Structures are given as C-alpha cells and as structure tokens.
Amino acid sequence: MGLVTADMAVSLDLVGAGRDQSLEHPFGPHVGHRLHTWMFEHEDESADELAAILHARAYVMGRHMFGPDRGDWDPEWQGWWGPEPPYHAPVFVLCSRPREPLVMEGGTTFHFVTDGIDAALERAREAAGDADVSIAGGVSTLNAYLAADLVDELRLHVVPFTVGEGLRVFDGVPHLTMVPVSSRTTPHVTHLTWRRP
C-alpha cells in the first residue's frame, strides 16, 4: 500500500485560504493567488515538488476545494480546472449532498462521497492500488485527516508573507509528532516535508 500524502501552500502564519472564498476569489480576496505564484509564475524553480504533488494515483478533496458553491449542487459547475484537470486520476470529493460522478478529459473522474473522511480515503486507496493517495485540500479537509492521524507524509509549501487571519493548517489538530524529512528554499517558497514516525 502506498503512502497518504498531503500538499498545502501556506503563508508564514500557516494560512492556506481565507474564510471568504467565492467564485471571484477562490482563496478569499485578502489571500488572492499569492500562495501559488511559485507554482504558476516560477514553476521551473520547483519542478520536483510539482511533480510530487501529481505523483499520487488517487486524490481526496473537500467540497470547497472543488468549487465555490454551498448548498445544492450547480450541475453546470465542473471544478476550477477547466475540461482537463491536472489530476489524471480518480478524485474523491467530500460533501454532504450526493452527486453523480463527473468524468473529465485526461482521466480525471470526480466521485462525490457523503459518508465521511474514512470512506473517502478507503475508496481512494482502492482506486490507487499500491500507489500513493494525496489529500489535495483544502485546509479543513487536511486538518480533518491530520486530526485522525491518517497522513503519512505532509508537504507544506511556505510562501514568504503573512495573512493575519484565515483557515490555518493544524487548527483543531491535537498533539501530533512528525519527523522532518527535507527542506528546500527558492526565492519564492520554502518546501518542508515531514513524515509520521
């Protein structure tokens, strides 16, 4: 069985998103896209880390990472990524309302899971076989898996600014011990990796 990994871009004060996300501002207007300039404007500096994010063979994400809507599903909404999302693998979306699977170009299918984090992870592990499963976000979903001690390898991509308020990694997570594995710094981000002992 592969590892359960997780990647999250965060500010220096560990904010991964604002609390006021919307269609116009996926990470909140105060955060904007600043957390991800290292991915899209300086991707050559972090090629190995970007490849590692897409190494998994199945993914789990929260509903708010999939889209901005709350309440009933908008059947026209197919995610932030356009017709061919970058995952190229099954993605299991945690949610409270059922929805039929959404098949996209390039091998990504979004499956909507209404029975909790354990069920979503079990389905993702089955889909991945012996390969890794990635907890793709957002912050609340990552924290739920950290609190349940289900993340084998945590990779935080720390950008050099503070936000002040928002959704923080480790909020609500009880005592957790992890072993440092690696760190690497570019002018735009510091990549930190830990594993469970």
Short mmCIF file of all heavy atoms in Angstrom, two decimals, residues 1-8 49-61 87 121 124-125 128 130-138 141-143 145-146 149-157 178 181 192-196:
data_model
loop_
_atom_site.label_atom_id
_atom_site.label_comp_id
_atom_site.label_asym_id
_atom_site.label_seq_id
_atom_site.Cartn_x
_atom_site.Cartn_y
_atom_site.Cartn_z
N MET A 1 0.84 -1.19 0.00
CA MET A 1 0.00 0.00 0.00
C MET A 1 0.88 1.25 0.00
O MET A 1 1.89 1.31 0.70
CB MET A 1 -0.90 -0.01 1.25
CG MET A 1 -1.88 1.16 1.28
SD MET A 1 -2.92 1.16 2.77
CE MET A 1 -3.80 -0.37 2.54
N GLY A 2 0.50 2.23 -0.81
CA GLY A 2 1.26 3.46 -0.89
C GLY A 2 1.03 4.36 0.30
O GLY A 2 0.27 4.06 1.22
N LEU A 3 1.69 5.49 0.28
CA LEU A 3 1.56 6.49 1.33
C LEU A 3 0.30 7.33 1.13
O LEU A 3 -0.18 7.49 0.02
CB LEU A 3 2.77 7.42 1.34
CG LEU A 3 4.13 6.82 1.64
CD1 LEU A 3 5.21 7.88 1.45
CD2 LEU A 3 4.17 6.23 3.04
N VAL A 4 -0.17 7.92 2.23
CA VAL A 4 -1.15 9.01 2.17
C VAL A 4 -0.35 10.29 2.34
O VAL A 4 0.23 10.55 3.39
CB VAL A 4 -2.22 8.88 3.27
CG1 VAL A 4 -3.17 10.07 3.22
CG2 VAL A 4 -2.98 7.57 3.11
N THR A 5 -0.27 11.06 1.28
CA THR A 5 0.48 12.30 1.29
C THR A 5 -0.48 13.49 1.31
O THR A 5 -1.67 13.35 1.06
CB THR A 5 1.40 12.41 0.06
OG1 THR A 5 0.60 12.53 -1.12
CG2 THR A 5 2.31 11.19 -0.05
N ALA A 6 0.07 14.65 1.61
CA ALA A 6 -0.72 15.88 1.56
C ALA A 6 0.19 17.04 1.23
O ALA A 6 1.30 17.14 1.77
CB ALA A 6 -1.42 16.13 2.90
N ASP A 7 -0.25 17.89 0.32
CA ASP A 7 0.48 19.10 -0.04
C ASP A 7 -0.41 20.29 0.21
O ASP A 7 -1.61 20.26 -0.11
CB ASP A 7 0.85 19.08 -1.53
CG ASP A 7 2.00 18.15 -1.82
OD1 ASP A 7 1.75 16.94 -2.06
OD2 ASP A 7 3.15 18.62 -1.79
N MET A 8 0.17 21.37 0.77
CA MET A 8 -0.60 22.59 1.01
C MET A 8 0.33 23.79 0.91
O MET A 8 1.39 23.81 1.55
CB MET A 8 -1.25 22.55 2.40
CG MET A 8 -2.12 23.74 2.74
SD MET A 8 -3.67 23.83 1.82
CE MET A 8 -4.44 22.27 2.26
N GLU A 49 8.99 19.37 -6.79
CA GLU A 49 7.87 19.44 -5.84
C GLU A 49 6.53 19.40 -6.57
O GLU A 49 5.58 18.76 -6.10
CB GLU A 49 7.98 20.72 -4.99
CG GLU A 49 9.11 20.68 -3.98
CD GLU A 49 10.48 21.01 -4.55
OE1 GLU A 49 10.57 21.40 -5.75
OE2 GLU A 49 11.47 20.88 -3.81
N LEU A 50 6.46 20.04 -7.71
CA LEU A 50 5.22 19.99 -8.50
C LEU A 50 4.97 18.58 -9.02
O LEU A 50 3.84 18.10 -9.01
CB LEU A 50 5.29 20.99 -9.65
CG LEU A 50 5.24 22.46 -9.24
CD1 LEU A 50 5.57 23.36 -10.41
CD2 LEU A 50 3.89 22.82 -8.64
N ALA A 51 6.01 17.91 -9.45
CA ALA A 51 5.85 16.53 -9.90
C ALA A 51 5.39 15.63 -8.77
O ALA A 51 4.55 14.73 -8.97
CB ALA A 51 7.17 16.01 -10.49
N ALA A 52 5.90 15.87 -7.56
CA ALA A 52 5.49 15.06 -6.40
C ALA A 52 4.02 15.24 -6.08
O ALA A 52 3.33 14.29 -5.67
CB ALA A 52 6.35 15.41 -5.19
N ILE A 53 3.49 16.46 -6.25
CA ILE A 53 2.07 16.71 -5.99
C ILE A 53 1.21 15.84 -6.90
O ILE A 53 0.17 15.32 -6.47
CB ILE A 53 1.75 18.20 -6.18
CG1 ILE A 53 2.41 19.04 -5.09
CG2 ILE A 53 0.24 18.45 -6.19
CD1 ILE A 53 2.33 20.54 -5.31
N LEU A 54 1.63 15.66 -8.13
CA LEU A 54 0.83 14.92 -9.10
C LEU A 54 1.27 13.46 -9.24
O LEU A 54 0.86 12.77 -10.17
CB LEU A 54 0.88 15.63 -10.46
CG LEU A 54 0.28 17.03 -10.45
CD1 LEU A 54 0.48 17.71 -11.79
CD2 LEU A 54 -1.20 16.99 -10.07
N HIS A 55 2.06 12.98 -8.28
CA HIS A 55 2.55 11.60 -8.30
C HIS A 55 1.48 10.60 -7.84
O HIS A 55 1.52 9.43 -8.23
CB HIS A 55 3.79 11.48 -7.41
CG HIS A 55 4.32 10.09 -7.28
ND1 HIS A 55 4.99 9.46 -8.30
CD2 HIS A 55 4.27 9.21 -6.26
CE1 HIS A 55 5.33 8.25 -7.91
NE2 HIS A 55 4.91 8.06 -6.68
N ALA A 56 0.53 11.05 -7.06
CA ALA A 56 -0.48 10.14 -6.49
C ALA A 56 -1.34 9.55 -7.60
O ALA A 56 -1.48 10.12 -8.69
CB ALA A 56 -1.35 10.89 -5.48
N ARG A 57 -1.97 8.43 -7.30
CA ARG A 57 -2.86 7.78 -8.26
C ARG A 57 -4.32 7.89 -7.85
O ARG A 57 -5.21 7.38 -8.52
CB ARG A 57 -2.48 6.32 -8.45
CG ARG A 57 -1.11 6.08 -8.98
CD ARG A 57 -0.71 6.72 -10.33
NE ARG A 57 -1.71 7.31 -11.17
CZ ARG A 57 -1.66 8.58 -11.63
NH1 ARG A 57 -0.67 9.38 -11.30
NH2 ARG A 57 -2.61 9.03 -12.41
N ALA A 58 -4.60 8.59 -6.75
CA ALA A 58 -5.97 8.94 -6.36
C ALA A 58 -5.87 10.10 -5.38
O ALA A 58 -4.85 10.26 -4.70
CB ALA A 58 -6.70 7.76 -5.73
N TYR A 59 -6.93 10.91 -5.32
CA TYR A 59 -6.93 12.14 -4.53
C TYR A 59 -8.22 12.23 -3.73
O TYR A 59 -9.26 11.71 -4.13
CB TYR A 59 -6.82 13.36 -5.45
CG TYR A 59 -5.53 13.41 -6.22
CD1 TYR A 59 -5.36 12.69 -7.41
CD2 TYR A 59 -4.45 14.16 -5.77
CE1 TYR A 59 -4.16 12.71 -8.10
CE2 TYR A 59 -3.25 14.20 -6.45
CZ TYR A 59 -3.12 13.47 -7.62
OH TYR A 59 -1.93 13.50 -8.29
N VAL A 60 -8.10 12.94 -2.60
CA VAL A 60 -9.27 13.29 -1.79
C VAL A 60 -9.26 14.80 -1.61
O VAL A 60 -8.20 15.39 -1.33
CB VAL A 60 -9.23 12.61 -0.41
CG1 VAL A 60 -10.42 13.06 0.45
CG2 VAL A 60 -9.22 11.09 -0.55
N MET A 61 -10.41 15.43 -1.78
CA MET A 61 -10.51 16.87 -1.53
C MET A 61 -11.86 17.20 -0.93
O MET A 61 -12.81 16.43 -1.03
CB MET A 61 -10.30 17.68 -2.82
CG MET A 61 -11.40 17.57 -3.84
SD MET A 61 -11.19 18.67 -5.28
CE MET A 61 -9.61 18.18 -5.91
N TYR A 87 -5.22 16.27 -12.36
CA TYR A 87 -5.05 15.06 -11.55
C TYR A 87 -4.85 13.80 -12.38
O TYR A 87 -4.07 12.92 -12.00
CB TYR A 87 -6.22 14.92 -10.59
CG TYR A 87 -6.39 16.12 -9.71
CD1 TYR A 87 -7.39 17.06 -9.95
CD2 TYR A 87 -5.50 16.36 -8.67
CE1 TYR A 87 -7.51 18.19 -9.16
CE2 TYR A 87 -5.60 17.49 -7.88
CZ TYR A 87 -6.61 18.41 -8.14
OH TYR A 87 -6.73 19.53 -7.37
N LEU A 121 -11.22 8.02 1.99
CA LEU A 121 -9.85 7.51 1.94
C LEU A 121 -9.85 6.03 1.54
O LEU A 121 -8.99 5.60 0.75
CB LEU A 121 -9.15 7.70 3.29
CG LEU A 121 -7.70 7.26 3.34
CD1 LEU A 121 -6.86 7.96 2.28
CD2 LEU A 121 -7.12 7.53 4.73
N ALA A 124 -10.35 5.91 -2.13
CA ALA A 124 -9.16 6.39 -2.83
C ALA A 124 -8.05 5.33 -2.78
O ALA A 124 -7.35 5.11 -3.79
CB ALA A 124 -8.69 7.70 -2.20
N ARG A 125 -7.88 4.67 -1.65
CA ARG A 125 -6.86 3.62 -1.55
C ARG A 125 -7.16 2.46 -2.50
O ARG A 125 -6.25 1.91 -3.14
CB ARG A 125 -6.76 3.12 -0.11
CG ARG A 125 -5.95 4.03 0.79
CD ARG A 125 -5.85 3.48 2.18
NE ARG A 125 -4.78 4.10 2.93
CZ ARG A 125 -4.79 4.28 4.25
NH1 ARG A 125 -5.82 3.86 4.97
NH2 ARG A 125 -3.77 4.85 4.85
N ALA A 128 -6.23 3.63 -5.95
CA ALA A 128 -4.79 3.82 -6.16
C ALA A 128 -4.02 2.51 -6.16
O ALA A 128 -2.89 2.46 -6.66
CB ALA A 128 -4.22 4.74 -5.07
N ASP A 130 -1.46 0.02 -5.14
CA ASP A 130 -0.22 0.11 -4.35
C ASP A 130 0.41 1.49 -4.41
O ASP A 130 1.46 1.71 -3.80
CB ASP A 130 0.80 -0.93 -4.83
CG ASP A 130 0.36 -2.35 -4.52
OD1 ASP A 130 -0.41 -2.54 -3.56
OD2 ASP A 130 0.79 -3.27 -5.26
N ALA A 131 -0.19 2.42 -5.13
CA ALA A 131 0.38 3.76 -5.29
C ALA A 131 -0.12 4.69 -4.20
O ALA A 131 -0.99 4.34 -3.38
CB ALA A 131 0.04 4.31 -6.67
N ASP A 132 0.41 5.91 -4.20
CA ASP A 132 0.07 6.89 -3.17
C ASP A 132 -1.31 7.50 -3.40
O ASP A 132 -1.80 7.60 -4.53
CB ASP A 132 1.09 8.03 -3.16
CG ASP A 132 2.47 7.59 -2.70
OD1 ASP A 132 2.61 6.45 -2.21
OD2 ASP A 132 3.41 8.41 -2.84
N VAL A 133 -1.90 7.93 -2.29
CA VAL A 133 -3.12 8.73 -2.27
C VAL A 133 -2.75 10.10 -1.73
O VAL A 133 -1.98 10.20 -0.77
CB VAL A 133 -4.20 8.09 -1.37
CG1 VAL A 133 -5.38 9.03 -1.17
CG2 VAL A 133 -4.65 6.76 -1.94
N SER A 134 -3.29 11.15 -2.34
CA SER A 134 -3.00 12.51 -1.88
C SER A 134 -4.24 13.16 -1.30
O SER A 134 -5.31 13.13 -1.92
CB SER A 134 -2.47 13.36 -3.04
OG SER A 134 -2.31 14.70 -2.63
N ILE A 135 -4.09 13.77 -0.13
CA ILE A 135 -5.12 14.65 0.41
C ILE A 135 -4.85 16.01 -0.22
O ILE A 135 -3.91 16.71 0.14
CB ILE A 135 -5.06 14.72 1.95
CG1 ILE A 135 -5.06 13.31 2.57
CG2 ILE A 135 -6.21 15.57 2.48
CD1 ILE A 135 -6.23 12.44 2.18
N ALA A 136 -5.68 16.40 -1.17
CA ALA A 136 -5.40 17.56 -2.01
C ALA A 136 -5.87 18.88 -1.40
O ALA A 136 -5.53 19.93 -1.92
CB ALA A 136 -6.06 17.37 -3.38
N GLY A 137 -6.62 18.83 -0.32
CA GLY A 137 -7.08 20.08 0.30
C GLY A 137 -8.59 20.14 0.33
O GLY A 137 -9.25 19.18 -0.01
N GLY A 138 -9.11 21.24 0.76
CA GLY A 138 -8.48 22.40 1.31
C GLY A 138 -8.02 22.22 2.74
O GLY A 138 -7.86 21.08 3.24
N THR A 141 -10.19 20.06 5.19
CA THR A 141 -10.07 18.64 4.88
C THR A 141 -8.72 18.10 5.34
O THR A 141 -8.65 17.04 5.97
CB THR A 141 -10.25 18.42 3.37
OG1 THR A 141 -11.59 18.82 3.02
CG2 THR A 141 -10.03 16.98 2.98
N LEU A 142 -7.64 18.84 5.06
CA LEU A 142 -6.33 18.41 5.54
C LEU A 142 -6.32 18.29 7.05
O LEU A 142 -5.83 17.28 7.60
CB LEU A 142 -5.25 19.38 5.08
CG LEU A 142 -3.85 19.15 5.66
CD1 LEU A 142 -3.34 17.75 5.36
CD2 LEU A 142 -2.89 20.20 5.16
N ASN A 143 -6.86 19.27 7.76
CA ASN A 143 -6.87 19.22 9.22
C ASN A 143 -7.66 18.03 9.75
O ASN A 143 -7.28 17.44 10.76
CB ASN A 143 -7.40 20.53 9.79
CG ASN A 143 -6.39 21.65 9.70
OD1 ASN A 143 -5.21 21.42 9.49
ND2 ASN A 143 -6.85 22.88 9.84
N TYR A 145 -7.93 15.10 8.31
CA TYR A 145 -7.09 13.91 8.15
C TYR A 145 -5.89 13.94 9.10
O TYR A 145 -5.49 12.89 9.62
CB TYR A 145 -6.64 13.77 6.70
CG TYR A 145 -7.72 13.16 5.83
CD1 TYR A 145 -8.53 13.95 5.02
CD2 TYR A 145 -7.96 11.79 5.84
CE1 TYR A 145 -9.53 13.39 4.24
CE2 TYR A 145 -8.96 11.21 5.07
CZ TYR A 145 -9.74 12.02 4.27
OH TYR A 145 -10.74 11.45 3.51
N LEU A 146 -5.32 15.11 9.35
CA LEU A 146 -4.25 15.20 10.34
C LEU A 146 -4.76 14.84 11.73
O LEU A 146 -4.09 14.11 12.48
CB LEU A 146 -3.67 16.61 10.35
CG LEU A 146 -2.80 17.01 9.15
CD1 LEU A 146 -2.48 18.50 9.20
CD2 LEU A 146 -1.51 16.19 9.09
N ASP A 149 -4.93 11.31 12.31
CA ASP A 149 -3.62 10.66 12.18
C ASP A 149 -3.57 9.74 10.96
O ASP A 149 -3.08 8.61 11.03
CB ASP A 149 -3.28 9.90 13.46
CG ASP A 149 -1.78 9.61 13.57
OD1 ASP A 149 -0.98 10.33 12.93
OD2 ASP A 149 -1.41 8.66 14.29
N LEU A 150 -4.08 10.24 9.83
CA LEU A 150 -4.14 9.45 8.62
C LEU A 150 -3.19 9.93 7.53
O LEU A 150 -3.18 9.38 6.43
CB LEU A 150 -5.58 9.44 8.07
CG LEU A 150 -6.61 8.72 8.96
CD1 LEU A 150 -8.02 8.96 8.43
CD2 LEU A 150 -6.30 7.23 9.02
N VAL A 151 -2.39 10.96 7.82
CA VAL A 151 -1.45 11.49 6.82
C VAL A 151 -0.06 10.93 7.12
O VAL A 151 0.49 11.16 8.20
CB VAL A 151 -1.43 13.03 6.83
CG1 VAL A 151 -0.38 13.56 5.87
CG2 VAL A 151 -2.82 13.59 6.50
N ASP A 152 0.50 10.20 6.15
CA ASP A 152 1.84 9.64 6.32
C ASP A 152 2.93 10.65 6.04
O ASP A 152 3.97 10.65 6.70
CB ASP A 152 2.03 8.44 5.38
CG ASP A 152 1.08 7.31 5.67
OD1 ASP A 152 0.93 6.95 6.86
OD2 ASP A 152 0.46 6.79 4.71
N GLU A 153 2.72 11.50 5.03
CA GLU A 153 3.73 12.48 4.64
C GLU A 153 3.06 13.82 4.36
O GLU A 153 2.16 13.90 3.53
CB GLU A 153 4.49 12.00 3.40
CG GLU A 153 5.59 12.97 2.97
CD GLU A 153 6.47 12.40 1.88
OE1 GLU A 153 7.24 11.45 2.19
OE2 GLU A 153 6.37 12.86 0.73
N LEU A 154 3.51 14.84 5.08
CA LEU A 154 2.96 16.19 4.95
C LEU A 154 4.00 17.09 4.30
O LEU A 154 5.14 17.19 4.77
CB LEU A 154 2.59 16.75 6.33
CG LEU A 154 2.10 18.20 6.37
CD1 LEU A 154 0.81 18.36 5.57
CD2 LEU A 154 1.92 18.65 7.80
N ARG A 155 3.59 17.76 3.21
CA ARG A 155 4.48 18.67 2.50
C ARG A 155 3.84 20.05 2.48
O ARG A 155 2.82 20.26 1.82
CB ARG A 155 4.74 18.16 1.08
CG ARG A 155 5.35 16.75 1.08
CD ARG A 155 5.73 16.25 -0.29
NE ARG A 155 4.60 15.99 -1.15
CZ ARG A 155 4.32 14.79 -1.69
NH1 ARG A 155 5.07 13.75 -1.42
NH2 ARG A 155 3.29 14.65 -2.48
N LEU A 156 4.43 20.97 3.24
CA LEU A 156 3.96 22.34 3.26
C LEU A 156 4.88 23.19 2.39
O LEU A 156 6.10 23.07 2.46
CB LEU A 156 3.94 22.89 4.69
CG LEU A 156 2.95 22.24 5.65
CD1 LEU A 156 3.01 22.93 7.01
CD2 LEU A 156 1.53 22.27 5.10
N HIS A 157 4.27 24.05 1.59
CA HIS A 157 4.98 24.94 0.69
C HIS A 157 4.74 26.36 1.22
O HIS A 157 3.66 26.92 1.04
CB HIS A 157 4.48 24.74 -0.73
CG HIS A 157 4.46 23.29 -1.13
ND1 HIS A 157 5.61 22.61 -1.49
CD2 HIS A 157 3.45 22.38 -1.15
CE1 HIS A 157 5.30 21.34 -1.76
NE2 HIS A 157 4.00 21.19 -1.56
N MET A 178 5.74 14.54 14.11
CA MET A 178 6.20 14.16 12.79
C MET A 178 7.72 14.32 12.73
O MET A 178 8.31 15.10 13.49
CB MET A 178 5.52 14.98 11.70
CG MET A 178 4.00 14.86 11.71
SD MET A 178 3.20 15.43 10.20
CE MET A 178 3.16 13.89 9.27
N VAL A 181 11.85 15.41 7.15
CA VAL A 181 12.45 14.63 6.06
C VAL A 181 13.33 15.50 5.19
O VAL A 181 14.46 15.14 4.87
CB VAL A 181 11.35 13.95 5.22
CG1 VAL A 181 11.95 13.27 3.99
CG2 VAL A 181 10.56 12.97 6.05
N LEU A 192 8.81 22.17 2.79
CA LEU A 192 9.09 21.43 4.01
C LEU A 192 8.34 20.10 3.98
O LEU A 192 7.13 20.07 3.68
CB LEU A 192 8.66 22.23 5.24
CG LEU A 192 9.29 23.61 5.40
CD1 LEU A 192 8.62 24.37 6.53
CD2 LEU A 192 10.78 23.49 5.66
N THR A 193 9.04 19.02 4.28
CA THR A 193 8.42 17.69 4.27
C THR A 193 8.64 17.01 5.61
O THR A 193 9.75 17.01 6.14
CB THR A 193 9.01 16.82 3.15
OG1 THR A 193 8.79 17.46 1.89
CG2 THR A 193 8.35 15.44 3.12
N TRP A 194 7.55 16.42 6.15
CA TRP A 194 7.61 15.63 7.38
C TRP A 194 6.90 14.28 7.13
O TRP A 194 6.02 14.19 6.27
CB TRP A 194 6.88 16.31 8.54
CG TRP A 194 7.44 17.59 8.99
CD1 TRP A 194 8.42 17.81 9.92
CD2 TRP A 194 7.04 18.91 8.56
NE1 TRP A 194 8.65 19.15 10.08
CE2 TRP A 194 7.81 19.84 9.27
CE3 TRP A 194 6.09 19.39 7.66
CZ2 TRP A 194 7.67 21.22 9.10
CZ3 TRP A 194 5.95 20.74 7.47
CH2 TRP A 194 6.74 21.64 8.19
N ARG A 195 7.28 13.29 7.91
CA ARG A 195 6.58 12.02 7.89
C ARG A 195 6.21 11.60 9.30
O ARG A 195 6.83 12.00 10.28
CB ARG A 195 7.45 10.91 7.27
CG ARG A 195 7.47 10.95 5.76
CD ARG A 195 7.95 9.63 5.18
NE ARG A 195 7.97 9.68 3.73
CZ ARG A 195 8.32 8.69 2.96
NH1 ARG A 195 8.70 7.54 3.50
NH2 ARG A 195 8.30 8.79 1.64
N ARG A 196 5.20 10.73 9.37
CA ARG A 196 4.86 10.14 10.66
C ARG A 196 6.01 9.26 11.11
O ARG A 196 6.66 8.61 10.29
CB ARG A 196 3.60 9.27 10.55
CG ARG A 196 2.33 10.05 10.43
CD ARG A 196 1.13 9.22 10.79
NE ARG A 196 0.96 8.06 9.91
CZ ARG A 196 -0.03 7.20 10.02
NH1 ARG A 196 -0.91 7.32 10.99
NH2 ARG A 196 -0.15 6.19 9.20
#
